[in-house]
Amino acid sequence: MSSDGARRIDQGKEPGLRLLRHTIANQRVALAIGTALVSLHQVMETLVPVAIGAIIDGPVTSGDVPTLVVALEGLAALFVVLTYSWRFGARRLVAAIEAESHRLRVTVARRILDPRGVRTSLRIGELLAVATTDAGRAAQILHVVPATAAAITAVAGAAVALLLVDVPLGLLVLLGTPAILVALDRATPLLTRRMTAQQEAVARASGLATDLVTGLRPLRGLGAEPAAARRYREASADALAATLRATRAAGVYTGTSAAVSALLSVAVAGVAGWAALAGRISVGELITVVGLAQFVVEPLGTLAALPSSWAASRASADRLSLVLHAPPLLPAGTGTPSDGRLVLRGLGYRSLRGMDLTVAPGELLGVLAHRPQDAEALADVLSGQVPPEDVRGELTVGGVPLGALDPVAARRTVLAEPHHSDLFAGTLAGNITAGMCDPSGGIPPEVLRASAAGQVADTHPDGLDQRIVDRGSSLSGGQRQRVALARALARRAPVLVLHEPTTAVDAVTEQAVAEGIARVRHDGGEHTTVVITSSPALLAVADRVVVVDDGRIVAAGTHAELAATHPTYRAAVLR
């Protein structure tokens, strides 16, 4: 396991234990009832061989038929209690496990979707594994606790019964069981480390697979499928190796524990046989001892296997804690922007260096970045999702510094539509209205016209009700861009940041979209729009265009002025 993985496990150690204790406390009533019922089931299981032995030594040996009938009725009642105690106890415990799994999944999902973000190095796929697989495994602590109590009850009951039959037999179980458990417990830390490493490796492979599937089309366009496949094969091989190590350790542990438990049972049966031959115990007592020796194998095996289950729950709880206790990306600001004015003073972020820019409310600003990294850095910093400590200089929105903005208010004020937008499984209309404050009024027709998303609806018999699969893969790239743009325009955000919104549409549509954005956003309104693009159609409708090169603004003016006086601008735009 890597040193980084070990460090993260150590950091999540105590929070993981607290999470498991909290999980138990949440379901304490159901857990108490379920544990009592399954423990009663084990008591009844213990009494079965005792009752059979007593029946053989009593009415069977004496030939007392009425007493035998009563004894058999009592044995039947024993089985009824045994059956229903397990049935209702297991039902309560399974319901508690499923309820806690759901609660943990919702809690992790809420943390991941928090407006302030979460500071973690985990990929999307890894976060998905934490929110699903790890949540379920952590909830299995609600199985570990009652199983432990029931197994201890069974072993203790068997030991007491054996003590009543023969003291050496009872002492053999009472002393042998703790010795076995102490010896096996020494392997628990190794199991925990192996299972944690396995879960991390599998989550990394899942995260990489998610990234590859998401970016499959760009990979094909670049011809990078072999390199991507090689990376996934390496990650998958690491996950396989970690899984084999964890499974091998668990297999050795389970096999050893089963063998040792069986040897203890054989020893009990052997000592009982010797005692019967010596005349110390009766035939009925011999049957009782043999029955108990066979019965005790199961709870001993359960006790031996529980450390493995505990290790899995503990490892998952540690991973859950990494997300639940991760610091937020953004501070808990309280400021609310007064308008859509953007001011950048000496701004530095990634490739940006000392950028000074003011965007007035109601202005449509075009930004041409000669370097893609500058465009991406500017789009990211304007989105408001960058931690203030990562930004040099000053960025204010509506007069409020970035670090003092309330994240919810900031998201209502500034909407940054990324270049690669995701669509959701559902209808075309549902994707467009997803961000609207009041979707009940439907989609404004001007939004459909401005984004050309109306054309997407017109090409399908179901129109706006057509079904879209996850990530919009049933649509072409240009159709996805138009739907995402319609969603952004429908929000009516005071500040809208668009990053190359028309790269996948034809020139005629691009011209119509450019005019539509200007019309919807800037016909008599105070909306502010920043379009980071190299599209001449979009730059032509902008009130002002700034040119960014080497992380700084190197020129500013209208599109016509820059095209006439700035050779590098003309070469980049008028292709």
Side-chain angles (χ1 to χ4, degrees):
M1 183 172 58
S2 67
S3 59
D4 180 66
R7 177 180 59 80
R8 287 191 291 163
I9 291 171
D10 290 339
Q11 287 178 346
K13 190 173 182 181
E14 289 306 317
L17 284 175
R18 288 197 297 271
L19 186 146
L20 292 179
R21 287 196 293 267
H22 186 62
T23 297
I24 292 171
N26 280 343
Q27 297 293 331
R28 56 187 177 274
V29 175
L31 189 61
I33 295 173
T35 301
L37 288 173
V38 296
S39 297
L40 176 62
H41 167 266
Q42 293 293 345
V43 172
M44 296 297 104
E45 287 268 25
T46 306
L47 291 178
V48 168
V50 174
I52 293 174
I55 291 173
I56 291 175
D57 279 345
V60 171
T61 302
S62 63
D64 187 350
V65 175
T67 303
L68 178 61
V69 171
V70 173
L72 291 177
E73 289 175 349
L75 186 61
L78 192 66
F79 273 101
V80 170
V81 175
L82 180 153
T83 301
Y84 279 94
S85 60
W86 171 258
R87 177 180 177 181
F88 291 109
R91 181 180 295 177
R92 292 298 296 265
L93 293 174
V94 169
I97 291 171
E98 293 303 319
E100 274 306 291
S101 296
H102 173 71
R103 186 190 67 82
L104 288 172
R105 286 193 296 269
V106 172
T107 301
V108 174
R110 185 180 296 116
R111 180 68 189 91
I112 294 171
L113 297 175
D114 189 290
R116 297 169 61 192
V118 56
R119 191 184 298 275
T120 177
S121 59
L122 298 178
R123 292 190 180 97
I124 293 175
E126 292 179 281
L127 291 173
L128 179 62
V130 170
T132 53
T133 304
D134 286 316
R137 284 178 178 163
Q140 285 297 315
I141 191 65
L142 298 175
H143 162 74
V144 174
V145 171
T148 302
I152 291 175
T153 300
V155 173
V160 170
L162 290 172
L163 279 172
L164 294 176
V165 173
D166 188 73
V167 173
L169 290 173
L171 291 176
L172 182 59
V173 175
L174 282 175
L175 298 178
T177 300
I180 293 173
L181 295 178
V182 169
L184 293 174
D185 184 64
R186 295 184 176 275
T188 302
L190 174 62
L191 286 174
T192 302
R193 290 195 298 270
R194 291 282 176 88
M195 289 186 175
T196 301
Q198 182 255 343
Q199 291 172 14
E200 288 187 338
V202 170
R204 281 195 296 272
S206 299
L208 182 58
T210 301
D211 293 342
L212 292 179
V213 171
T214 303
L216 185 58
R217 291 191 180 186
L219 287 172
R220 285 175 175 170
L222 295 171
E225 302 103 306
R230 184 172 61 253
R231 284 186 60 199
Y232 180 72
R233 278 195 300 270
E234 293 171 354
S236 182
D238 291 341
L240 175 61
T243 301
L244 290 176
R245 285 193 296 270
T247 304
R248 192 178 299 117
V252 171
Y253 179 89
T254 302
T256 302
S257 62
V260 173
S261 300
L263 288 175
L264 178 61
S265 299
V266 170
V268 171
V271 173
W274 174 80
L277 289 174
R280 284 178 27 219
I281 61 175
S282 65
V283 174
E285 289 173 331
L286 175 61
I287 292 174
T288 295
V289 171
V290 173
L292 288 173
Q294 291 178 331
F295 161 71
V296 84
V297 170
E298 181 182 350
L300 282 175
T302 300
L303 287 174
L306 284 174
S308 176
S309 300
W310 158 257
S313 292
R314 172 64 184 276
S316 290
D318 289 342
R319 285 171 54 77
L320 284 166
S321 296
L322 287 175
V323 177
L324 295 176
H325 295 275
L329 277 174
L330 305 177
T334 58
T336 301
S338 58
D339 55 31
R341 181 181 298 275
L342 294 174
V343 178
L344 288 67
R345 294 194 182 94
L347 184 75
Y349 174 66
R350 293 210 301 253
S351 62
L352 302 180
R353 301 184 304 155
M355 179 177 288
D356 293 311
L357 176 66
T358 298
V359 187
E363 182 177 10
L364 172 55
L365 178 73
V367 178
L368 171 68
H370 288 302
R371 302 190 309 173
Q373 59 266 40
D374 291 340
E376 292 174 1
L378 182 59
D380 287 345
V381 77
L382 290 179
S383 72
Q385 300 305 301
V386 177
E389 62 269 21
D390 293 347
V391 180
R392 303 177 300 277
E394 182 180 1
L395 168 59
T396 63
V397 181
V400 182
L402 176 67
L405 283 174
D406 172 64
V408 176
R411 286 191 174 186
R412 283 198 299 263
T413 304
V414 182
L415 172 62
E417 185 67 29
H419 176 52
H420 298 289
S421 298
D422 281 330
L423 302 182
F424 311 102
T427 65
L428 179 64
N431 271 273
I432 297 175
T433 59
M436 293 175 61
C437 297
D438 182 16
S440 60
I443 306 170
E446 62 270 19
V447 167
L448 293 176
R449 288 193 298 270
S451 61
Q455 298 175 7
V456 180
D458 294 339
T459 59
H460 195 279
D462 295 331
L464 290 171
D465 293 327
Q466 65 174 284
R467 304 298 300 180
I468 296 177
V469 301
D470 194 28
R471 298 187 179 277
S473 56
S474 56
L475 302 177
S476 68
Q479 288 175 325
R480 286 198 301 274
Q481 278 192 333
R482 282 179 273 181
V483 173
L485 179 58
R487 180 175 59 193
L489 294 175
R491 274 280 303 274
R492 306 286 191 185
V495 179
L496 177 62
V497 180
L498 300 173
H499 184 199
E500 294 290 6
T502 58
T503 52
V505 301
D506 60 85
V508 175
T509 303
E510 185 175 48
Q511 181 64 44
V513 167
E515 295 171 355
I517 292 174
R519 182 174 60 255
V520 169
R521 296 282 301 174
H522 298 277
D523 270 0
E526 290 296 317
H527 292 143
T528 302
T529 307
V530 178
V531 184
I532 304 170
T533 183
S534 59
S535 162
L538 289 169
L539 294 171
V541 299
D543 301 319
R544 181 167 56 110
V545 178
V546 296
V547 181
V548 179
D549 193 15
D550 196 24
R552 300 177 184 274
I553 295 177
V554 297
T558 65
H559 170 69
E561 292 169 349
L562 292 171
T565 61
H566 205 282
T568 56
Y569 178 87
R570 185 168 55 249
V573 175
L574 303 181
R575 301 184 292 274

